[in-house]
Amino acid sequence: MSIATDLTRMWLTRSVKPFTFRNEYDQVLPYEDCQGLGLYVHIPFCRQICRFCPYCKEPYSRELCERYLDALLREIHLVGGQSPGKKEATSLYFGGGTPALAADRLKEVIDALKEHFTITQGIGVELHPDNVTAPVLQTLREAGVTKLSIGIQSFQPKYQHILGRAPVDRRRLAAALAQVPFETVSMDFIFALPGQTFQDLRADVDAAFQCGANHVAIYPFIDFSFTSSEIPAMGKREKRALLDDITRCCLSKGYTRNSIWTFSRKQASYSSMTRDNFLGFGCSAATLLRDQFKVNTFSVNEYCRRVDGGALPTALTLRFTPRQRMVYYLFWTAYSTRVDSGVFERFFGVPLQKMYGFELWLARRLGLVTERDGVYEMTLKGAFYYHYYESFYTLSYIDRMWGLLRHEAFPEGMEL
């Protein structure tokens, strides 16, 4: 796996130089001139730790959660206070973990961010199905939340059992969402589970829209090395057929494809990933700026200790070469299934064709993309192979980094 990603990295960056992460941090983050800036906040606490989940998480403790939120507010002011006036931010997303466990303090966090940023495109929060109750939803809406992402994973009992999840009461879910409406209600599902069929996945998608969703995300199951999951992987041919079939089904129903794995109706949107630049707050949160990428420590205790001492909790920092930044930009922009060459040129000051003309020509010849007026859009074939390569990237890069950070709060560094 690493050979494929290494060769791709060397080809696209035109260099054998790896992505080098160092144990260093800047006390001042140069985000003032960043356009299209997104905000992300990580709340790592969960009442139950799911075996398949790779994200930074911690068993819930009220005392530790309160200490963490106090540190989170300090980090927000440490970063936000560096810039005079307010900086425009496109959006704010809370992920986890289970952010609803801190629902009574999310308004405090949002208000702290609003002291430094003007949020123009809404505020989203991830929810566990158990948290979808009218009182919790009302608390979130009063805090300013406009978008929800509910981690259903599957409505099917056989897959709930495989994933170690409790059954979801669809009537209760639908009633709560009807009582307290939001601009976007997204529901997340996992595909490529053992024996999963198109009928299984279609039933989940149909149930989501019936329960009040206007957006669904269908993420592939990825077996991270540091999770305790024992779920076997689905074969490549089956996985492609499943992704193609559910894509055709959603498009035939008039849903819009927003990204590789997301579909919506009525122009609903939910994505914390496809931003040109973003600031991350909290444990494990990443920050992407013009020429650098940073990731915070995964340790709650070390996070609190570092921030309480008046320093940023950065664990690793990558300083991009220009080509490395282009590759990162293209990889995550392609997640939306399209790349606009004009936007690329405005961001980097150089034509996309000049930098990657051969690769774009080859992608068109292979039937992976089409091009119209400078916009490159993935075909069904291209979307599948993007997904297929993304799983290699995840295991070669994200799995290794997160695996290291789960064991070392502030590692010496690493090369990818």
Side-chain angles (χ1 to χ4, degrees):
M1 292 183 184
S2 62
I3 293 176
T5 51
D6 286 347
L7 290 176
T8 304
R9 184 201 73 240
M10 287 187 284
W11 175 264
L12 294 178
T13 62
R14 309 296 197 262
S15 170
V16 296
K17 182 178 180 179
F19 290 99
T20 302
F21 293 82
R22 294 187 171 87
N23 181 357
E24 60 187 37
Y25 64 92
D26 300 300
Q27 195 56 24
V28 177
L29 298 181
Y31 65 85
E32 181 63 29
D33 295 330
C34 291
Q35 303 302 312
L37 185 71
L39 305 175
Y40 174 78
V41 175
H42 193 76
I43 308 293
F45 301 98
C46 291
R47 292 198 184 278
Q48 177 183 339
I49 305 298
C50 296
R51 295 191 304 271
F52 64 88
C53 177
Y55 297 104
C56 174
K57 51 200 179 293
E58 181 87 11
Y60 177 72
S61 154
R62 181 68 183 181
E63 180 181 359
L64 185 58
C65 184
E66 291 293 327
R67 181 187 172 207
Y68 177 81
L69 290 167
D70 290 341
L72 179 62
L73 293 169
R74 292 190 189 96
E75 185 192 8
I76 289 168
H77 292 306
L78 277 173
V79 174
Q82 298 171 4
S83 176
K86 288 189 177 184
K87 171 69 177 174
E88 185 174 292
T90 58
S91 53
L92 164 60
Y93 289 93
F94 288 85
T98 310
L101 292 174
D104 59 336
R105 292 194 65 185
L106 288 192
K107 185 177 188 305
E108 191 178 351
V109 176
I110 292 169
D111 287 347
L113 286 162
K114 285 185 174 180
E115 287 185 37
H116 308 288
F117 303 95
T118 301
I119 301 165
T120 63
Q121 296 177 22
I123 300 172
V125 173
E126 293 180 0
L127 292 176
H128 188 283
D130 291 347
N131 304 131
V132 184
T133 64
V136 170
L137 297 183
Q138 189 63 40
T139 297
L140 295 176
R141 195 168 72 172
E142 290 173 357
V145 173
T146 58
K147 304 181 182 189
L148 306 177
S149 175
I150 306 169
I152 302 294
Q153 315 313 349
S154 179
F155 282 121
Q156 313 288 323
K158 56 186 173 181
Y159 297 119
Q160 291 167 345
H161 175 73
I162 288 174
L163 295 169
R165 298 294 291 264
V168 177
D169 186 334
R170 297 188 204 177
R171 288 187 179 181
R172 181 188 63 77
L173 187 74
L177 292 171
Q179 187 174 342
V180 188
F182 286 80
E183 171 191 309
T184 296
V185 176
S186 181
M187 294 188 185
D188 291 355
F189 298 93
I190 296 178
F191 90 93
L193 292 168
Q196 192 176 39
T197 66
F198 164 64
Q199 288 74 24
D200 291 325
L201 202 51
R202 182 178 63 185
D204 276 341
V205 171
D206 289 344
F209 285 112
Q210 290 164 10
C211 285
N214 56 9
H215 183 280
V216 294
I218 309 166
Y219 296 108
F221 172 74
I222 297 177
D223 186 16
F224 287 85
S225 64
F226 50 78
T227 62
S228 58
S229 172
E230 298 179 355
I231 301 172
M234 178 180 282
K236 174 183 172 182
R237 183 173 298 179
E238 295 172 277
K239 193 182 292 186
R240 178 175 180 182
L242 194 56
L243 182 61
D244 286 355
D245 285 347
I246 198 62
T247 299
R248 292 190 184 99
C249 177
C250 287
L251 294 178
S252 73
K253 291 175 180 285
Y255 303 150
T256 299
R257 189 178 198 176
N258 309 102
S259 72
I260 296 293
W261 304 301
T262 62
F263 302 88
S264 69
R265 61 186 181 192
K266 299 180 180 178
Q267 303 302 311
S269 64
Y270 196 102
S271 173
S272 59
M273 301 171 66
T274 51
R275 299 290 182 273
D276 292 341
N277 305 281
F278 49 83
L279 294 174
F281 301 93
C283 278
S284 78
T287 288
L288 173 68
L289 301 176
R290 176 74 188 200
D291 60 358
Q292 57 186 285
F293 176 89
K294 298 173 177 295
V295 59
N296 284 351
T297 180
F298 275 45
S299 167
V300 171
N301 285 319
E302 290 302 313
Y303 169 84
C304 294
R305 183 187 63 79
R306 175 75 77 86
V307 174
D308 289 347
L312 295 181
T314 310
L316 293 171
T317 296
L318 165 66
R319 312 284 179 180
F320 289 113
T321 66
R323 281 272 190 179
Q324 286 178 339
R325 185 62 173 91
M326 289 177 188
V327 170
Y328 190 98
Y329 173 95
L330 290 171
F331 183 84
W332 287 111
T333 301
Y335 178 83
S336 69
T337 72
R338 57 189 63 85
V339 174
D340 187 323
S341 60
V343 175
F344 177 95
E345 185 168 355
R346 285 192 294 274
F347 190 88
F348 291 104
V350 62
L352 177 62
Q353 278 288 138
K354 179 178 180 180
M355 305 307 293
Y356 294 106
F358 172 75
E359 289 82 0
L360 292 168
W361 171 83
L362 184 61
R364 291 176 65 186
R365 289 297 300 266
L366 294 175
L368 303 177
V369 301
T370 59
E371 185 270 336
R372 183 175 180 180
D373 298 328
V375 177
Y376 294 83
E377 188 158 356
M378 289 182 188
T379 61
L380 281 179
K381 179 181 178 181
F384 171 76
Y385 278 102
Y386 173 94
H387 149 70
Y388 189 66
Y389 182 81
E390 195 270 344
S391 65
F392 282 86
Y393 162 81
T394 297
L395 292 174
S396 295
Y397 288 74
I398 296 178
D399 184 285
R400 288 174 59 195
M401 176 181 288
W402 289 3
L404 174 64
L405 289 168
R406 283 164 59 89
H407 293 98
E408 295 183 44
F410 298 103
E412 287 301 311
M414 70 181 308
E415 291 187 348
L416 295 174

